[in-house]
Amino acid sequence: MNINLVMFQESGERRDFPLSRPVTTVGRKEDCDIRIPLAEISRHHAKFTLDDAILKILDLGSANGTFVNNKRVKESRLSAGDHVVVGPVVFTVQLDGKPNDVRAVKTKLRTLSNASPPSNSPQAAPPVEEDLDPISALEALASSADQTAIDAFDDDDGILNDSVL
């Protein structure tokens, strides 16, 4: 079974992350197979498993959750075309080349802007929410992160570096 996680950057550039192992972990810690060095991602956020030609995702107790097709899941079987959201990153599952026409997914990430006083303060104002494209948020945060951490995503071929696996 040929499994690909497809992500699109804000620029429209497609990035493919092939899953070639029975277990692939996603998180911000260096020992993860797919490392996403962002605060919204838990150290060990989720893992993809392949067993008897069944692909699943399992949330590893992440603080912000793992979502499949806009539903928060602890564990879920995945099918071709499913959308998996880990923090601000949206992956489309491609199994054996299907769906063959993968397109960018436009979702919105809710963030808090303008730091406000603590909520127990009598002068506390409600936080202001602003909509951000998750890929833009990822790129903005990654550009200020440790450069070695994002090298796994910056190959010219668009495939995760073997050194990270």
Side-chain angles (χ1 to χ4, degrees), residues 103-149:
R103 297 175 187 244
V105 177
K106 291 293 184 185
T107 62
K108 295 292 183 181
L109 172 68
R110 302 298 270 177
T111 62
L112 299 179
S113 63
N114 303 330
S116 58
S119 59
N120 60 355
S121 168
Q123 299 171 341
V128 177
E129 289 186 345
E130 92 184 34
D131 289 333
L132 292 178
D133 173 36
I135 303 305
S136 296
L138 174 62
E139 290 173 339
L141 289 170
S143 68
S144 65
D146 174 28
Q147 187 62 38
T148 60

Side-chain angles (χ1 to χ4, degrees), residues 61-138:
S62 66
N64 293 323
T66 301
F67 296 81
V68 174
N69 300 327
N70 296 321
K71 293 181 183 177
R72 189 171 183 159
V73 298
K74 291 197 183 282
E75 182 174 343
S76 180
R77 184 175 179 167
L78 298 172
S79 300
D82 283 345
H83 301 290
V84 177
V85 179
V86 176
V89 180
V90 180
F91 295 107
T92 300
V93 177
Q94 189 177 42
L95 303 175
D96 294 327
K98 294 186 177 155
N100 59 0
D101 185 26
V102 178
R103 297 175 187 244
V105 177
K106 291 293 184 185
T107 62
K108 295 292 183 181
L109 172 68
R110 302 298 270 177
T111 62
L112 299 179
S113 63
N114 303 330
S116 58
S119 59
N120 60 355
S121 168
Q123 299 171 341
V128 177
E129 289 186 345
E130 92 184 34
D131 289 333
L132 292 178
D133 173 36
I135 303 305
S136 296
L138 174 62

Side-chain angles (χ1 to χ4, degrees), residues 20-38:
S20 57
R21 297 178 174 190
V23 177
T24 302
T25 58
V26 178
R28 74 170 191 264
K29 201 162 183 203
E30 290 180 11
D31 64 347
C32 291
D33 300 309
I34 299 176
R35 184 167 182 235
I36 306 170
L38 300 174

